[in-house]
Amino acid sequence: SLRNFVCFVRHVGAANDFTDLPGLANFLGHLLVKGRENNSSESDFKDFLKAHGGDTKFPKTDIQNQVFSFTVESEFLSSALEK
């Protein structure tokens, strides 16, 4: 079946962390994956994707950017985006 690829790039990386809060950009990336109230953990989203022919690479934070991507079967794209 047809799969969709979704990629979010935030132009906020480790260089944007406050000196007294190192790792803030990475932490916020994990909150993005946790998503809304209907996801109690990062693994809920990953499990949803796997059940619907997809996969994810959890946020990768470098100095200037954060990248998050996932794939999912086309018919479940809307549901994945809502999570």
Side-chain angles (χ1 to χ4, degrees), residues 12-79:
V12 175
N16 300 101
D17 284 348
F18 296 104
T19 55
D20 58 337
L21 291 172
L24 182 62
N26 187 53
F27 173 73
L28 293 175
H30 286 277
L31 289 181
L32 171 70
V33 175
K34 184 172 179 183
R36 299 161 50 142
E37 293 176 8
N38 58 346
N39 278 346
S40 61
S41 71
E42 291 180 12
S43 63
D44 286 349
F45 183 63
K46 193 168 190 171
D47 291 345
F48 173 85
L49 295 176
K50 284 190 182 247
H52 297 96
D55 198 7
T56 185
K57 303 293 182 208
F58 284 118
K60 177 183 181 283
T61 303
D62 63 23
I63 295 297
Q64 296 182 0
N65 299 299
Q66 189 169 72
V67 178
F68 169 73
S69 62
F70 68 88
T71 58
V72 68
E73 291 177 352
S74 294
E75 62 196 88
F76 297 102
L77 177 61
S78 181
S79 296

